[in-house]
């Protein structure tokens, strides 16, 4: 039996989670989908408000499911998408919003307009690594665009439901590694950016009950034919159209093409991305 672990997901709370042996995994797919559907609704419901909130929207399963559940709960929301012209996120977000009859606010960036955004992320987070700046720039761009004070993001879904390339082998261990490092790696970054603009981030996928149940689901159900397979099937069970639930998606910095822009800006100077960021002065 694995030992009991404490994971800090929020500055004010500690969540105790237990790693499970292989023989303790849940395998009844029908029961899992039913329970997971209920937990997803409750995770969003706990974090809803009477006032409108924003959703960082990419057209992927995570942000689409958050919007879909908000609609079911009659929670007012607005969708925001940023990226370079013809980026995957921009195209997908527009298509999904149109299909679901949701209003979408977008902002298209040019490569040359992104350097100030990168500098601001560095200034706020005090970090210069490629992932922090690339992902952080997407979050920052949405924060600048939104009018609401509360923002929902899909943070945590990849770690719980095995959405990354690294989840091909040793799936359960890789999920745990990502989940146990998510506070310092992602939450601090996004919280710092939001706080700078007097905004509040809320993370439904990092709900305690959802994490505890999600980490008991057998890994084979998470990465069957698609990444995050069981989450997608739960979304369909809730009523989300299958063609939308099973759309493919890549990480924010790639889907927005912000990483492409970072690469191009660095290449223009004849240096690597890491070196380019090390030279930027906030």
């Amino acid at each position: 039996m694995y030992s009991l672990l404490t994971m800090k997901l929020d500055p004010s709370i500690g969540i105790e989670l237990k790693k499970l042996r292989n023989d303790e995994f849940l395998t009844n797919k029908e029961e899992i989908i039913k329970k997971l559907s209920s937990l997803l609704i409750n995770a969003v419901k706990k974090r809803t408000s009477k006032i409108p909130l924003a959703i960082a929207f990419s057209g992927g399963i995570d942000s689409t499911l958050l919007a879909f559940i908000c609609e079911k709960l009659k929670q007012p929301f607005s969708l925001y998408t940023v990226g370079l012209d013809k980026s995957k996120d921009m195209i997908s977000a527009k298509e999904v919003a149109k299909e679901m009859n949701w209003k979408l606010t977008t902002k298209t960036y040019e490569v040359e307009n992104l350097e100030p955004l990168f500098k601001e992320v560095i200034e706020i987070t005090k970090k210069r690594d490629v992932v922090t700046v690339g992902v952080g720039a997407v979050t920052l761009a949405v924060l600048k665009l939104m009018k609401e004070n509360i923002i929902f993001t899909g943070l945590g879904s990849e770690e719980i439901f095995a959405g990354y390339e690294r989840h091909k082998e040793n799936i359960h261990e890789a999920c745990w590694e990502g989940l146990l490092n998510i506070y310092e790696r992602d939450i601090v970054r996004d919280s710092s950016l939001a706080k700078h603009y007097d905004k509040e981030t809320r993370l439904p996928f990092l709900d305690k009950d959802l994490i505890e149940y999600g980490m008991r689901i057998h890994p084979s159900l998470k990465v069957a034919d698609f990444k995050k397979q069981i989450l997608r099937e739960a979304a369909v069970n809730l009523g989300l159209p299958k063609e939308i639930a099973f759309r493919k998606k890549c990480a924010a910095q790639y889907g927005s093409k912000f990483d492409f822009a970072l690469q191009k800006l660095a290449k223009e100077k004849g240096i690597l991305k890491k070196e380019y960021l090390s030279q930027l002065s906030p």
Side-chain angles (χ1 to χ4, degrees):
M1 179 71 68
Y2 290 103
S3 60
L4 198 65
L5 297 174
T6 298
M7 178 171 63
K8 191 176 183 183
L9 293 177
D10 182 273
S12 63
I13 61 174
I15 296 179
E16 291 185 340
L17 296 169
K18 192 178 184 181
K19 284 190 177 182
L20 303 169
R21 294 188 313 228
N22 289 345
D23 60 0
E24 295 176 290
F25 285 129
L26 301 171
T27 58
N28 188 314
K29 190 174 180 180
E30 184 177 343
E31 290 183 2
I32 291 170
I33 290 174
K34 182 178 179 181
K35 178 64 175 178
L36 187 55
S37 298
S38 175
L39 288 171
L40 287 163
I41 290 177
N42 288 336
V44 174
K45 188 175 183 179
K46 290 177 191 176
R47 291 160 180 81
T48 53
S49 172
K50 293 181 180 179
I51 60 175
L53 56 82
I55 298 176
F57 192 68
S58 66
I61 179 60
D62 303 329
S63 57
T64 300
L65 185 54
L66 292 178
F68 184 70
I69 294 175
C70 280
E71 186 174 59
K72 288 175 72 73
L73 295 173
K74 294 181 168 47
Q75 163 64 46
F77 65 90
S78 297
L79 304 177
Y80 295 93
T81 305
V82 299
L84 299 190
D85 186 35
K86 297 181 180 179
S87 62
K88 290 181 180 179
D89 281 3
M90 195 68 75
I91 294 170
S92 183
K94 289 178 180 179
E95 289 177 349
V96 173
K98 183 178 180 180
E99 290 178 46
M100 298 300 295
N101 197 29
W102 293 334
K103 182 180 178 182
L104 173 67
T105 299
T106 65
K107 181 168 182 178
T108 302
Y109 281 82
E110 300 292 338
V111 172
E112 57 269 22
N113 295 332
L114 281 175
E115 187 169 285
L117 210 60
F118 295 149
K119 288 182 177 180
E120 190 171 358
V121 172
I122 293 171
E123 182 178 11
I124 296 170
T125 65
K126 311 303 180 188
K127 293 184 178 181
R128 294 175 179 269
D129 63 279
V130 173
V131 174
T132 294
V133 177
V135 178
V138 177
T139 302
L140 183 61
V142 172
L143 290 167
K144 287 173 170 286
L145 188 59
M146 61 185 273
K147 299 181 179 67
E148 296 78 9
N149 294 320
I150 299 168
I151 182 170
F152 272 9
T153 78
L155 193 62
S157 174
E158 309 290 348
E159 288 74 16
I160 299 169
F161 299 106
Y164 290 127
E165 286 297 321
R166 64 173 178 266
H167 293 135
K168 289 182 177 180
E169 297 180 2
N170 299 320
I171 300 167
H172 190 59
E173 290 76 9
C175 285
W176 268 110
E177 182 180 359
L179 195 57
L180 293 170
N181 292 316
I182 198 169
Y183 179 74
E184 289 297 335
R185 187 189 64 240
D186 297 314
I187 296 177
V188 170
R189 176 199 64 227
D190 289 356
S191 296
S192 299
L193 295 170
K195 184 178 180 181
H196 185 80
Y197 281 92
D198 295 320
K199 308 291 185 181
E200 177 189 348
T201 56
R202 294 186 183 177
L203 314 172
F205 284 105
L206 289 177
D207 177 77
K208 178 180 181 293
D209 295 333
L210 184 56
I211 295 172
E212 289 180 339
Y213 190 80
M215 294 305 291
R216 293 176 62 202
I217 298 173
H218 198 285
S220 65
L221 296 176
K222 297 181 179 181
V223 289
D225 298 322
F226 282 77
K227 296 174 185 175
K228 297 188 283 190
Q229 176 88 22
I230 197 69
L231 178 65
R232 297 176 191 276
E233 294 190 41
V236 173
N237 182 63
L238 286 170
L240 190 66
K242 186 174 182 179
E243 63 272 17
I244 292 179
F246 279 82
R247 282 174 182 256
K248 292 185 177 181
K249 170 73 170 62
C250 52
Q253 68 270 41
Y254 305 120
S256 63
K257 292 189 73 172
F258 277 19
D259 184 77
F260 166 82
L262 181 57
Q263 176 76 44
K264 187 173 181 180
L265 289 169
K267 189 174 181 180
E268 288 174 355
K269 295 181 179 293
I271 54 180
L272 298 176
K273 290 185 288 186
K274 184 177 180 180
E275 187 178 358
Y276 168 76
L277 291 176
S278 70
Q279 296 178 3
L280 282 183
S281 299

